[in-house]
Amino acid sequence: MKKLCVLMGACLLSACGNDDGKTPAVATAKPAAEPSFIDASASTGLDFKHFNGATGEYYLPEIMGSGVALLDYDGDGDLDVFFVQGGLVDADKTMADATFPLADGVSHGSRLYRNDLKPGGKLAFVDVTAEARVGVVFDGMGAAVGDYDNDGAPDLLVTGVGRAVLYRNLGNGHFEDVSARLGIEDEQLSTSAAFVDYDRDGWLDLFITHYVHGTTVERKKCRNPAAELDYCGPQAFPPSIARLYHSEGGQHFKDVTQASGIGAHAGPGLGVAISDFNRDHWPDIYVANDGAASFLWMNHGDGTFTEEGLTMGMAYSLDGKAQAGMGIAIGDVDNDGQEDVLKTNLQREGANLYRRGAGDAYTDAAGQSNVLGATVGHTGFGVCFADFDNDGWLDAFVTNGAVTAMESQRGEPYPFRQLNVLLHNRQGTFAQVKSDTGLLAERMVGRGVATGDLDRDGDIDMVVANNNGPARLWLNQAREQYPDLSHWLRVRLHSKQGGRVGSQAVVHLEVDGQKAQMRRVDASGSYLSASDPVAHFGLGRDTRVKSLVVEWADGSRSEQVVEAVDREMSIEQP
């Protein structure tokens, strides 16, 4: 395992290199406390490698996938890992035609790894795909997790080329494909998805984004500036509408795309995240479109939505341009009680950091927060907010990978590799963390990223899915190295309806002498991926919580006494 020292501390202004050799000025982190990540993929048995299905035809889906999901499928309290596998887009092709074939004996389908955490925190993963019956074989893209039938066991949706597969968790270690029986029919190129109870009837509905119309098997030829064959952009294909399914009591999903208003606008959707953007206690839907204005579907509470991305200031860049939106993260980065939105984009565009203004509208603050300078040299995909050092402020991580060949890698077998970006939060302003080893030094074609405490030691870990390459498990070592500086509290919610995880509830926590923190409970966001739906709070040196209030999705509130920290609490909705 290679060890990465992630230096967290005060900000300096320095030149930060990127993959084009240009050096925009960004703030970087000066050493103080030194939490670190280690690559634990191989040592724990997490040996997944993505197959992109490339055969020299440059089909668009080859460069897009894939995602990863964290879920406790067997109910033992440990987070298990599900990877979405790619496949051959053209049915006339075989593995012999593949440019980067999988090794003999390696499964061609998606894979589920059970977390067999040992006493003392030693991780070990076991491939249980066959017995769990989730090894779907097709050109998969993303995954979403939610308990659609309220039986207490998380269910799993897999998106991809021409299919979307809904697996019901039977609670006995097995899953069942219920897509056809429950009315999930999707013949488009589906990407990110999210479970959301948009009408607050107690049953999770389903939102699925589509990238372009059809499955893009058409042999369209696009070329890069060097006149070489390369992947086409979304503009080469007609856009598609997303699809919204309403849950009929967990027994069937009804397609309400047109009736709800979601079908009013088409766009090349990639990322999706759920939040309450106007604070009316109805969940809204934000979609990152690639090369087009992003959509913000505002929920009117009567089963209908209208698209208000432009009105809310979240459709375009600061200079009014459409961008190549990929992934989305939502969280309160400045601890002002308002949620902010980080959206990743194409190289030379940089990421957006939308912050709420005096009214409901948002403003892109990526420049003054140091996000723009750190991300402009990369094509960002998976993204997350997490308090990695447990200091009470949400940090950010972006995994990057190009979609057209990198000039600096001309002649290499797969010239799309880029560095990851880690941003340390210095009380509302970010400093880019630099390292010459591990997480921040390895060039990969990053796509999905999911977060959760996989070794249950009190700090947030990450799983990164790389296109045409091995996945990475980055274990956070903050608690092991600095236990007195990184106290924590994790809150897991259970709403009134069955085994639901309190989706879209907001937890407010306050300690003496610090700004109050807020965390929204939801698994959506990132890119093609699903994270652990839990509220994790870093407390720094503090060991006493002054107050903890849960604001449930229906607007009701409950207060909880916290008797001890450095533990996980479970709270039932009154």
Side-chain angles (χ1 to χ4, degrees):
M1 295 186 295
K2 293 184 178 180
K3 182 175 178 180
L4 163 67
C5 288
V6 178
L7 306 179
M8 304 293 192
C11 299
L12 291 178
L13 191 64
S14 67
C16 168
N18 60 48
D19 291 291
D20 275 345
K22 301 176 183 178
T23 55
V26 297
T28 57
K30 181 181 179 180
E34 297 181 354
S36 62
F37 290 85
I38 59 173
D39 177 6
S41 315
S43 65
T44 61
L46 209 61
D47 58 356
F48 178 80
K49 182 178 181 181
H50 179 252
F51 171 66
N52 68 355
T55 58
E57 298 288 342
Y58 287 85
Y59 292 126
L60 185 58
E62 296 168 3
I63 197 67
M64 295 172 58
S66 66
V68 56
L70 303 184
L71 70 161
D72 181 10
Y73 89 97
D74 53 358
D76 66 352
D78 304 328
L79 289 174
D80 311 299
V81 184
F82 178 81
F83 289 106
V84 181
Q85 184 61 288
L88 295 165
V89 179
D90 191 338
D92 295 331
K93 300 288 186 179
T94 67
M95 190 58 66
D97 300 308
T99 308
F100 306 99
L102 285 173
D104 292 341
V106 177
S107 172
H108 295 171
S110 297
R111 294 172 72 183
L112 176 65
Y113 292 82
R114 186 182 67 220
N115 185 344
D116 285 349
L117 186 65
K118 309 299 182 186
K122 181 174 175 54
L123 271 175
F125 288 95
V126 178
D127 189 336
V128 294
T129 306
E131 64 185 74
R133 305 168 188 166
V134 290
V136 58
V137 179
F138 78 123
D139 191 6
M141 288 287 135
V145 176
D147 182 8
Y148 82 85
D149 54 358
N150 286 333
D151 65 352
D155 306 301
L156 180 66
L157 179 88
V158 184
T159 65
V161 179
R163 288 181 71 184
V165 181
L166 178 60
Y167 286 109
R168 182 192 174 202
N169 190 337
L170 302 178
N172 58 0
H174 304 309
F175 287 80
E176 176 189 11
D177 182 352
V178 295
S179 313
R181 189 173 80 223
L182 268 64
I184 303 298
E185 299 179 358
D186 198 312
E187 297 180 353
Q188 302 297 311
L189 172 51
S190 53
T191 52
S192 294
F195 287 95
V196 50
D197 183 9
Y198 75 89
D199 57 352
R200 291 186 359 206
D201 66 350
W203 299 92
L204 286 176
D205 312 300
L206 182 59
F207 183 91
I208 301 178
T209 59
H210 291 145
Y211 189 53
V212 293
H213 187 71
T215 58
T216 68
V217 178
E218 302 91 341
R219 289 174 172 82
K220 293 193 176 185
K221 302 297 184 182
C222 296
R223 296 187 180 274
N224 61 24
E228 299 168 328
L229 199 62
D230 210 338
Y231 290 103
C232 297
Q235 296 80 5
F237 306 93
S240 182
I241 60 173
R243 187 165 293 180
L244 180 64
Y245 292 94
H246 179 259
S247 175
E248 308 288 306
Q251 302 301 309
H252 187 76
F253 282 96
K254 179 181 179 181
D255 189 337
V256 295
T257 303
Q258 298 301 331
S260 65
I262 295 295
H265 298 279
L270 287 179
V272 62
I274 311 298
S275 188
D276 179 11
F277 291 99
N278 59 356
R279 297 168 291 182
D280 64 352
H281 300 296
W282 292 96
D284 310 305
I285 305 171
Y286 186 52
V287 178
N289 286 319
D290 185 6
S294 294
F295 292 156
L296 180 54
W297 293 104
M298 300 303 292
N299 189 344
H300 297 297
D302 59 359
T304 66
F305 295 78
T306 57
E307 200 289 296
E308 300 180 23
L310 180 60
T311 304
M312 295 289 285
M314 298 169 66
Y316 298 103
S317 66
L318 192 60
D319 54 358
K321 295 180 180 179
Q323 296 172 295
M326 312 290 187
I328 306 169
I330 298 178
D332 182 8
V333 301
D334 49 3
N335 287 347
D336 65 350
Q338 311 280 353
E339 286 181 305
D340 310 294
V341 181
L342 180 61
K343 177 171 71 72
T344 57
N345 299 301
L346 196 66
Q347 189 169 336
R348 290 184 291 277
E349 291 179 343
N352 310 110
L353 180 63
Y354 294 113
R355 284 178 168 167
R356 188 189 298 275
D360 280 336
Y362 287 75
T363 302
D364 189 353
Q368 58 263 45
S369 64
N370 296 325
V371 168
L372 181 61
T375 58
V376 71
H378 308 81
T379 293
F381 278 89
V383 58
C384 63
F385 283 133
D387 185 359
F388 291 117
D389 56 350
N390 282 343
D391 67 349
W393 297 86
L394 288 175
D395 309 303
F397 173 79
V398 182
T399 187
N400 303 298
V403 292
T404 56
M406 302 278 294
E407 181 64 27
S408 60
Q409 297 171 30
R410 181 179 298 279
E412 296 185 11
Y414 205 59
F416 306 98
R417 299 175 296 109
Q418 293 185 342
L419 297 173
N420 296 316
V421 170
L422 179 62
L423 299 172
H424 182 227
N425 191 339
R426 303 297 297 166
Q427 301 189 9
T429 301
F430 290 97
Q432 184 177 1
V433 180
K434 305 291 287 184
S435 176
D436 58 1
T437 60
L439 174 67
L440 303 179
E442 183 181 49
R443 279 183 166 84
M444 300 286 280
V445 188
R447 291 298 182 256
V449 60
T451 59
D453 187 359
L454 283 96
D455 54 1
R456 302 188 68 179
D457 64 348
D459 48 34
I460 299 298
D461 311 305
M462 294 185 292
V463 180
V464 178
N466 294 299
N467 181 277
N468 192 36
R472 290 288 186 254
L473 167 59
W474 295 106
L475 286 183
N476 190 343
Q477 301 295 289
R479 281 291 299 162
E480 286 78 1
Q481 292 193 352
Y482 301 99
D484 295 333
L485 301 176
S486 56
H487 293 290
W488 58 283
L489 183 72
R490 188 157 51 241
V491 180
R492 202 167 294 278
L493 302 179
H494 302 276
S495 59
K496 290 183 291 187
Q497 191 73 23
R500 294 273 303 284
V501 298
S503 180
Q504 286 300 301
V506 178
V507 185
H508 303 267
L509 178 142
E510 187 176 359
V511 297
D512 288 325
Q514 292 189 22
K515 282 189 172 184
Q517 302 179 48
M518 64 174 292
R519 301 285 185 267
R520 184 177 298 274
V521 174
D522 198 84
S524 68
S526 188
Y527 171 76
L528 305 178
S529 301
S531 295
D532 183 24
V534 69
H536 180 97
F537 297 92
L539 306 177
R541 296 178 180 274
D542 291 288
T543 57
R544 178 181 175 275
V545 173
K546 183 178 179 181
S547 69
L548 189 148
V549 176
V550 180
E551 187 176 356
W552 299 91
D554 59 7
S556 63
R557 297 169 68 92
S558 61
E559 187 167 359
Q560 186 79 20
V561 175
V562 180
E563 297 179 349
V565 300
D566 295 338
R567 67 188 181 105
E568 181 176 298
M569 296 178 60
S570 181
I571 299 178
E572 302 279 345
Q573 184 175 7

